[in-house]
Amino acid sequence: MSFSPLILVINCGSSSLKFSILAVDNDRPVLSGIAERLGLDNAYISFKDSQDVKTGLALPQSSHKHALQLLIEQLDQRDITQHIVAVGHRVAHGGSKFKQSVMITPQVLDDIKSFSQLAPLHNPANAQGIEATLEVFPQLPQVAVFDTSYHQTLSAAAYTYAIPYEYQQDLQVRRYGFHGTSHRYVAESAVSLLGLDPNDHGILVAHLGNGSSVCAVKNGESVDTSMGMTPIEGLVMGTRGGDIDFGILTYLARCTGKSLDDLDEMMNKESGLLGISGVSSDCRTLQEERSKGHPRATLAIDVFVHRLARHLGGHMMSLSRLDAIVFTGGIGENSSLIRELTVKHLSVLGITLDADKNANTFGGKSGIISITKSPIIAVIPTNEEKMIALDVARLANIC
């Protein structure tokens, strides 16, 4: 089997390592997969090839480094390793310093580690993945692609919190936003798909999944976004609570004796769809339970949709014009119910869905799902790995 030059895309979590191997000229990965439960006795790595054939192996040593080494053994067996010419890393937080993707140097790696206080669950794992990959592929150019960089075009009015200004100056307390790689990919795809003027357009992108956010895009640049200094702020998510009155947290602390760490855990892992429903953080499960009349599952979806519609309406005020609202992410791409309920909330904008198009757009399909006379509502599948690979190709001069 012959390959074009390939790019390895790495997304490291604290106990996982997702990977995808892509050619620049092809959206479909040659190989993808994930190593899970790293650091535990039952670590496991799974693979999916370009024909969707899935295989898996136990990891006898469960570190990120050993997961990469086993991955390379598999790539060698499939005659892929020799075709990998560069590596791209998804990095959660780039602070205010990184306004675009960059080649990884020792200084860049140190900077990524220094931003760990802003993203304690993500940046240390990202750095660990970079170090492991540098050790395994020391000869290859490696690129960091930051979730926050796309939102560095926000104005000071959009990113400043109304707290004593010294905290922004001294401790970098400001809105950063996340899902930037997804929002950028979808916004660029929308211009092409919908035939918009690249220099004069306004788009609202709703990235909906276990993590969810809205982004207002004006002429290709992010001008507002729902996530803040951390990924907790904004929409209701799978287990994150989103926007909340801070007074609630101080009230709970006084009433229950919970510490700041306890409340942080609650807001990140015990809230959102899971916290309201008491059933699941998975929207598919909640939709099924809603159809059976489960009251809390129904409420969870209603709250999710209400918050989403409110943020879409608010973010529209950061645009000069509205050409389209685009749904993406696992929920946005596949849940016709969430799209239908959200658009009903936005009826003041004169939006009307085409019921058949909405019902039949899922599973990787893209297209317009509104009626002809309505403002455009579209579904565009995201492809963060492809966006990372394109950045790597550009910075490493790969044709």
Side-chain angles (χ1 to χ4, degrees):
M1 184 180 297
S2 61
F3 298 105
S4 303
L6 300 177
I7 294 171
L8 170 61
V9 175
I10 296 287
N11 180 5
C12 261
S14 57
S15 61
S16 66
L17 187 155
K18 294 181 183 178
F19 59 88
S20 189
I21 299 163
L22 304 99
V24 176
D25 58 356
N26 195 328
D27 290 350
R28 193 172 183 82
V30 172
L31 189 71
S32 62
I34 182 171
E36 300 179 271
R37 306 185 188 95
L38 299 182
L40 302 176
D41 293 336
N42 55 348
Y44 188 83
I45 187 168
S46 58
F47 304 87
K48 183 171 74 171
D49 67 18
S50 59
Q51 305 302 314
D52 290 336
V53 175
K54 298 179 180 179
T55 55
L57 294 167
L59 280 168
Q61 299 184 69
S62 61
S63 66
H64 289 78
K65 177 182 175 181
H66 286 99
L68 275 169
Q69 289 175 338
L70 184 55
L71 169 60
I72 291 168
E73 290 177 12
Q74 289 294 307
L75 299 181
D76 287 340
Q77 292 177 19
R78 299 166 194 253
D79 192 30
I80 293 175
T81 308
Q82 61 183 315
H83 301 283
I84 296 176
V85 295
V87 183
H89 296 268
R90 182 182 182 182
V91 179
H93 218 303
S96 299
K97 180 170 184 176
F98 294 106
K99 302 182 187 305
Q100 59 188 1
S101 303
V102 296
M103 297 291 292
I104 293 174
T105 65
Q107 182 58 57
V108 168
L109 181 55
D110 286 344
D111 289 334
I112 290 170
K113 292 177 180 178
S114 75
F115 296 133
S116 292
Q117 59 183 337
L118 299 175
L121 298 178
H122 298 88
N123 271 44
N126 299 154
Q128 186 176 6
I130 290 170
E131 289 175 328
T133 311
L134 286 169
E135 189 169 341
V136 174
F137 289 110
Q139 78 284 7
L140 297 184
Q142 307 211 20
V143 172
V145 180
F146 300 91
D147 256 14
T148 51
S149 62
Y150 184 57
H151 304 298
Q152 286 296 301
T153 49
L154 266 61
S155 67
Y159 68 66
T160 299
Y161 286 111
I163 59 175
Y165 189 67
E166 291 76 15
Y167 293 126
Q168 182 185 127
Q169 298 299 104
D170 299 338
L171 298 174
Q172 304 181 71
V173 176
R174 49 157 289 182
R175 181 184 303 281
Y176 292 99
F178 297 87
H179 295 142
T181 308
S182 174
H183 287 303
R184 178 160 59 109
Y185 178 86
V186 172
E188 291 180 5
S189 299
V191 170
S192 175
L193 177 69
L194 306 178
L196 304 180
D197 183 342
N199 301 310
D200 185 18
H201 65 268
I203 305 169
L204 295 177
V205 180
H207 174 109
L208 309 177
N210 190 52
S212 297
S213 65
V214 166
C215 183
V217 180
K218 181 178 181 180
N219 305 336
E221 293 187 341
S222 172
V223 292
D224 206 352
T225 190
S226 58
M227 282 182 169
M229 177 173 165
T230 76
I232 295 179
E233 188 180 357
L235 305 181
V236 173
M237 305 175 222
T239 60
R240 296 186 191 124
D243 295 338
I244 189 171
D245 177 354
F246 179 73
I248 293 172
L249 300 180
T250 58
Y251 172 78
L252 290 176
R254 287 193 296 268
C255 291
T256 67
K258 288 183 179 293
S259 67
L260 288 176
D261 286 342
D262 293 335
L263 293 171
D264 184 70
E265 179 86 359
M266 179 197 77
M267 286 298 298
N268 270 298
K269 299 181 180 180
E270 300 169 6
S271 300
L273 294 174
L274 175 63
I276 298 172
S277 71
V279 174
S280 176
S281 62
D282 192 305
C283 192
R284 293 166 295 187
T285 301
L286 298 182
Q287 288 182 185
E288 183 178 347
E289 291 301 313
R290 178 191 179 96
S291 69
K292 299 175 184 177
H294 193 292
R296 285 177 59 182
T298 300
L299 177 62
I301 288 177
D302 288 345
V303 174
F304 180 93
V305 167
H306 178 87
R307 182 79 60 83
L308 171 59
R310 191 172 72 179
H311 267 279
L312 286 168
H315 280 68
M316 187 172 63
M317 296 302 101
S318 293
L319 301 174
S320 300
R321 55 184 289 170
L322 178 65
D323 290 291
I325 297 174
V326 182
F327 289 93
T328 193
I331 296 173
E333 294 168 26
N334 295 296
S335 177
S336 58
L337 175 65
I338 293 296
R339 298 192 300 250
E340 175 191 348
L341 295 175
T342 302
V343 171
K344 282 183 179 178
H345 277 269
L346 298 171
S347 60
V348 67
L349 301 177
I351 299 171
T352 305
L353 285 182
D354 182 307
D356 289 337
K357 289 180 180 178
N358 183 46
N360 290 299
T361 304
F362 58 89
K365 295 180 183 178
S366 63
I368 296 171
I369 59 173
S370 48
I371 65 172
T372 304
K373 296 181 180 180
S374 166
I376 294 175
I377 306 294
V379 176
I380 299 178
T382 192
N383 192 336
E384 295 169 272
E385 290 78 14
K386 181 65 175 180
M387 190 81 260
I388 292 171
L390 289 171
D391 277 4
V392 173
R394 173 175 54 82
L395 288 168
N397 296 314
I398 297 167
C399 297

